[in-house]
């Protein structure tokens, strides 16, 4: 039996997931908590946030994130792929930095406007 705290809503339900009983979830106050508990143990995913180098902008690094969660086992590969990225200002929030990063189906997108430095 695994115990988790649900992060889907502000209730922060204390979930218990029974792996031996087909990932049966208890302790949730809504169906979304049950789904979260099952998926967290069967196939955990995370949104990856970081920064990449940016040339010619107001700051040397631009914040980025995946536009959807990626499998937890892919996080290090995603971070490695970001290491080789250098953007050139101007950059707009939502610009795709890497499409389908590491074959995850998620795009890496800029999360801040980065104007050209004058």
């Amino acid at each position: 039996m695994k115990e988790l705290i649900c992060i889907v809503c502000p209730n922060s339900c204390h979930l218990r997931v029974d792996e031996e009983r087909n990932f049966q979830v208890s302790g949730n106050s809504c169906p979304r908590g049950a789904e979260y508990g099952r998926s967290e143990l069967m196939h955990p995913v995370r949104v990856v946030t970081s920064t990449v180098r940016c040339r010619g902008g107001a700051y040397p690094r631009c914040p980025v994130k995946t536009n959807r969660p990626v499998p937890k086992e892919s996080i290090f590969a995603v971070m490695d792929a970001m290491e080789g990225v250098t953007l050139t200002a101007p950059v707009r929030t939502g610009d795709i930095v890497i499409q389908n990063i590491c074959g995850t189906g998620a795009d890496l997108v800029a999360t801040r406007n980065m104007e050209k430095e004058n």
Side-chain angles (χ1 to χ4, degrees), residues 9 11 24-25 39 46 48-49 53-54 59 63 65-66 71-72 75 83 86-87 90 92 104 111:
C9 75
N11 288 336
Q24 184 176 2
V25 179
S39 66
R46 299 287 186 273
V48 178
T49 61
R53 285 183 287 282
C54 187
Y59 301 101
K65 73 173 194 156
T66 55
K72 197 173 176 183
I75 291 174
E83 182 64 30
T86 301
L87 300 176
R92 297 283 167 249
T104 61
T111 59

Side-chain angles (χ1 to χ4, degrees), residues 7-114:
I7 60 171
V8 176
C9 75
N11 288 336
S12 300
C13 295
H14 290 260
L15 307 178
R16 289 172 302 288
V17 184
D18 191 344
E19 297 169 286
E20 295 176 4
R21 296 178 67 203
N22 199 28
F23 297 95
Q24 184 176 2
V25 179
S26 60
N28 55 301
S29 15
C30 69
R32 294 184 308 160
E35 178 58 34
Y36 170 78
R38 274 191 293 282
S39 66
E40 183 62 17
L41 290 186
M42 295 172 69
H43 189 258
V45 293
R46 299 287 186 273
V47 171
V48 178
T49 61
S50 188
T51 60
V52 296
R53 285 183 287 282
C54 187
R55 182 179 317 128
Y59 301 101
R61 299 193 69 82
C62 182
V64 294
K65 73 173 194 156
T66 55
N67 65 346
R68 68 177 63 152
V70 299
K72 197 173 176 183
E73 64 269 10
S74 298
I75 291 174
F76 287 111
V78 168
M79 295 298 290
D80 286 344
M82 282 190 261
E83 182 64 30
V85 172
T86 301
L87 300 176
T88 302
V91 177
R92 297 283 167 249
T93 300
D95 284 355
I96 295 175
V97 176
I98 300 177
Q99 196 168 29
N100 189 23
I101 191 163
C102 299
T104 61
D107 296 334
L108 187 69
V109 296
T111 59
R112 177 187 179 140
N113 289 336
M114 188 69 69

